[in-house]
Amino acid sequence: MSALTVCRRAPWNKRLQANLRRCSAVSGRLRVNGVDLFYERVGRGDHALLLLPGALGSARTDFGPQLKCLDQKRFTVVACDPRGYGRSRPPERDFPPDFYERDARDAVALMKLLGLGSFSLLGWSDGGIAALIAAARNPDRVRRLVVWGSNAYVTQQDLDLYAAVRDVSRWSPRMKAPMEEMYGARLFARTWEAWVDSIAQFARRPQGSICVDLLPLISCPTLVVHGEKDPMVPSFHAHFLLQHIAGSRLHLMPEGKHNLHLRFSSQFNQLVQDFLQE
């Protein structure tokens, strides 16, 4: 996303539906911490993965190429819709001060209920923040961590970027379509505005912290991926994660933008699989 454009999410189309059916996909809802969370599950590998989507995102809008193409002999891949997003409604989404912590708790609880007590986390954007928190809070459960398009704190520069895209009427029809299909135009606009407004609460904290204090608690091998043309998350956020997560590594994608895992899905998937199998 940028002041003029917003990252494109993948539409949930019939071709993708057919592909997932061939992959023996299972989907459903589980009661997690008082709400019903929707999830997709593919593969039967020994290494379980949980994919956490970005703001207002879902398994289907944010992770089509991963659900389809990650090695399902080696991995059991789960992607979920966080509470209030996608098909994990009701309730409608709200943004209390601990909403990232809440998403992290929900993610870990979901995997426990699925019988996948040990797993790796892949988190994009907001999902990456929740993944950082989950890894810090659950070192005995999280095997490996991959995050991209994520930040541990908020600056005025970040707030300015978000404010510039707050009004969805300025988005192109192509960019709005997946979200309006999922939420309807009014609910999408209202929820997105609420998300943008909610980020200001972190800017008022010391250092603008979302989870800065938790980064030293992350002990699992961690891969930070960053698109060098990401217009929404400045590169200093990726370097901050590298500096504050012990033993982490940073992979830069020169042509990558915020949705690099969709735009360059083959390269991204291979990078992730190589890291997870080390």
Side-chain angles (χ1 to χ4, degrees), residues 203-219:
R204 293 189 289 269
R205 296 179 177 179
Q207 298 180 284
S209 177
I210 301 174
C211 60
V212 169
D213 58 323
L214 295 179
L215 300 184
L217 302 180
I218 298 174
S219 58

Side-chain angles (χ1 to χ4, degrees), residues 23-220:
C23 294
S24 301
V26 175
S27 63
R29 290 180 177 81
L30 283 175
R31 192 73 174 174
V32 177
N33 295 332
V35 299
D36 293 328
L37 292 188
F38 178 83
Y39 69 93
E40 303 271 1
R41 176 175 177 169
V42 299
R44 298 183 177 86
D46 293 334
H47 192 154
L49 312 178
L50 177 60
L51 282 54
L52 297 177
L56 277 71
S58 68
R60 294 185 172 187
T61 58
D62 288 14
F63 293 121
Q66 286 68 53
L67 288 167
K68 175 185 174 184
C69 297
L70 287 175
D71 189 336
Q72 294 171 28
K73 293 181 179 179
R74 291 186 171 92
F75 302 111
T76 295
V77 184
V78 179
C80 73
D81 297 6
R83 66 168 67 203
Y85 287 164
R87 295 207 250 179
S88 293
R89 295 177 290 138
E92 299 301 341
R93 182 71 175 196
D94 63 349
F95 300 96
D98 69 338
F99 73 87
Y100 287 118
E101 291 268 5
R102 184 179 64 183
D103 286 345
R105 291 193 297 269
D106 287 349
V108 173
L110 173 66
M111 295 300 273
K112 290 179 183 177
L113 289 171
L114 289 171
L116 303 169
S118 175
F119 53 90
S120 291
L121 282 167
L122 279 65
W124 177 36
S125 196
D126 262 28
I129 297 172
L132 291 167
I133 295 170
R137 300 287 194 199
N138 301 272
D140 57 329
R141 294 188 179 276
V142 180
R143 297 172 59 175
R144 286 180 174 257
L145 174 65
V146 183
V147 296
W148 63 105
S150 301
N151 50 300
Y153 62 97
V154 177
T155 68
Q156 186 58 51
Q157 181 179 348
D158 298 314
L159 295 181
D160 292 342
L161 289 170
Y162 304 150
V165 294
R166 183 178 186 275
D167 182 1
V168 299
S169 69
R170 298 175 58 192
W171 295 17
S172 72
R174 185 182 69 171
M175 300 303 177
K176 290 188 291 187
M179 293 291 100
E180 290 187 342
E181 180 180 353
M182 178 166 292
Y183 294 102
R186 289 186 178 180
L187 180 58
F188 164 52
R190 185 170 68 245
T191 307
W192 176 253
E193 289 172 358
W195 179 84
V196 171
D197 295 342
S198 75
I199 301 303
Q201 66 187 309
F202 299 105
R204 293 189 289 269
R205 296 179 177 179
Q207 298 180 284
S209 177
I210 301 174
C211 60
V212 169
D213 58 323
L214 295 179
L215 300 184
L217 302 180
I218 298 174
S219 58
C220 63

